[in-house]
Short mmCIF file of all heavy atoms in Angstrom, two decimals:
data_model
loop_
_atom_site.label_atom_id
_atom_site.label_comp_id
_atom_site.label_asym_id
_atom_site.label_seq_id
_atom_site.Cartn_x
_atom_site.Cartn_y
_atom_site.Cartn_z
N ASP A 397 4.99 -8.42 -7.99
CA ASP A 397 5.08 -9.70 -7.29
C ASP A 397 4.40 -9.65 -5.93
O ASP A 397 3.70 -10.59 -5.52
CB ASP A 397 6.54 -10.11 -7.11
CG ASP A 397 7.24 -10.41 -8.42
OD1 ASP A 397 6.55 -10.46 -9.46
OD2 ASP A 397 8.47 -10.59 -8.41
N ARG A 447 3.87 -19.71 -7.07
CA ARG A 447 4.69 -18.84 -7.91
C ARG A 447 4.03 -18.60 -9.25
O ARG A 447 4.22 -17.56 -9.87
CB ARG A 447 6.08 -19.47 -8.10
CG ARG A 447 7.02 -18.61 -8.94
CD ARG A 447 7.28 -17.27 -8.29
NE ARG A 447 7.99 -16.36 -9.18
CZ ARG A 447 8.20 -15.08 -8.95
NH1 ARG A 447 7.74 -14.56 -7.83
NH2 ARG A 447 8.86 -14.33 -9.80
N ASP A 643 14.97 -3.23 4.44
CA ASP A 643 15.04 -3.13 2.99
C ASP A 643 14.18 -4.21 2.32
O ASP A 643 13.56 -5.04 2.97
CB ASP A 643 16.49 -3.21 2.50
CG ASP A 643 17.18 -4.52 2.89
OD1 ASP A 643 16.48 -5.46 3.35
OD2 ASP A 643 18.41 -4.61 2.74
N TYR A 644 14.14 -4.17 0.98
CA TYR A 644 13.29 -5.09 0.21
C TYR A 644 13.64 -6.55 0.48
O TYR A 644 12.76 -7.39 0.62
CB TYR A 644 13.43 -4.77 -1.29
CG TYR A 644 12.50 -5.55 -2.18
CD1 TYR A 644 11.22 -5.10 -2.45
CD2 TYR A 644 12.92 -6.75 -2.77
CE1 TYR A 644 10.35 -5.81 -3.28
CE2 TYR A 644 12.06 -7.47 -3.60
CZ TYR A 644 10.79 -6.99 -3.85
OH TYR A 644 9.94 -7.71 -4.67
N ARG A 645 14.94 -6.85 0.58
CA ARG A 645 15.36 -8.24 0.81
C ARG A 645 14.82 -8.76 2.13
O ARG A 645 14.29 -9.87 2.21
CB ARG A 645 16.89 -8.33 0.78
CG ARG A 645 17.40 -9.76 0.93
CD ARG A 645 18.89 -9.80 1.21
NE ARG A 645 19.23 -9.10 2.42
CZ ARG A 645 19.07 -9.63 3.64
NH1 ARG A 645 18.54 -10.84 3.78
NH2 ARG A 645 19.39 -8.94 4.71
N GLN A 646 14.95 -7.96 3.20
CA GLN A 646 14.46 -8.41 4.50
C GLN A 646 12.94 -8.53 4.51
O GLN A 646 12.39 -9.43 5.15
CB GLN A 646 14.89 -7.43 5.60
CG GLN A 646 16.39 -7.46 5.90
CD GLN A 646 16.74 -6.57 7.07
OE1 GLN A 646 16.41 -6.87 8.21
NE2 GLN A 646 17.40 -5.45 6.79
N LYS A 647 12.26 -7.64 3.81
CA LYS A 647 10.80 -7.67 3.80
C LYS A 647 10.26 -8.95 3.19
O LYS A 647 9.31 -9.55 3.70
CB LYS A 647 10.25 -6.46 3.01
CG LYS A 647 10.18 -5.18 3.79
CD LYS A 647 9.49 -4.09 3.00
CE LYS A 647 9.40 -2.81 3.82
NZ LYS A 647 8.73 -1.72 3.10
N TYR A 648 10.86 -9.38 2.09
CA TYR A 648 10.25 -10.45 1.32
C TYR A 648 11.08 -11.72 1.18
O TYR A 648 10.56 -12.75 0.77
CB TYR A 648 9.87 -9.93 -0.08
CG TYR A 648 8.95 -8.75 0.01
CD1 TYR A 648 9.37 -7.47 -0.37
CD2 TYR A 648 7.66 -8.88 0.51
CE1 TYR A 648 8.54 -6.38 -0.28
CE2 TYR A 648 6.81 -7.79 0.61
CZ TYR A 648 7.26 -6.55 0.21
OH TYR A 648 6.42 -5.46 0.32
N PHE A 649 12.37 -11.65 1.53
CA PHE A 649 13.23 -12.82 1.33
C PHE A 649 14.08 -13.15 2.55
O PHE A 649 15.02 -13.92 2.45
CB PHE A 649 14.14 -12.62 0.11
CG PHE A 649 13.37 -12.37 -1.16
CD1 PHE A 649 13.28 -11.09 -1.70
CD2 PHE A 649 12.73 -13.41 -1.80
CE1 PHE A 649 12.56 -10.86 -2.86
CE2 PHE A 649 12.00 -13.19 -2.97
CZ PHE A 649 11.92 -11.91 -3.49
N GLY A 650 13.73 -12.57 3.70
CA GLY A 650 14.49 -12.84 4.91
C GLY A 650 14.27 -14.26 5.41
O GLY A 650 13.23 -14.87 5.18
N ASP A 651 15.25 -14.77 6.14
CA ASP A 651 15.16 -16.13 6.67
C ASP A 651 14.34 -16.20 7.95
O ASP A 651 13.85 -17.26 8.33
CB ASP A 651 16.58 -16.68 6.94
CG ASP A 651 17.39 -16.82 5.66
OD1 ASP A 651 16.77 -17.11 4.61
OD2 ASP A 651 18.62 -16.65 5.71
N THR A 652 14.22 -15.09 8.65
CA THR A 652 13.46 -15.06 9.89
C THR A 652 12.39 -13.99 9.82
O THR A 652 12.48 -13.05 9.03
CB THR A 652 14.39 -14.76 11.08
OG1 THR A 652 15.02 -13.48 10.88
CG2 THR A 652 15.46 -15.83 11.22
#
Side-chain angles (χ1 to χ4, degrees):
D397 294 351
R447 181 62 190 171
D643 60 11
Y644 186 87
R645 183 193 60 79
Q646 290 185 71
K647 278 186 178 180
Y648 303 112
F649 301 104
D651 296 328
T652 60

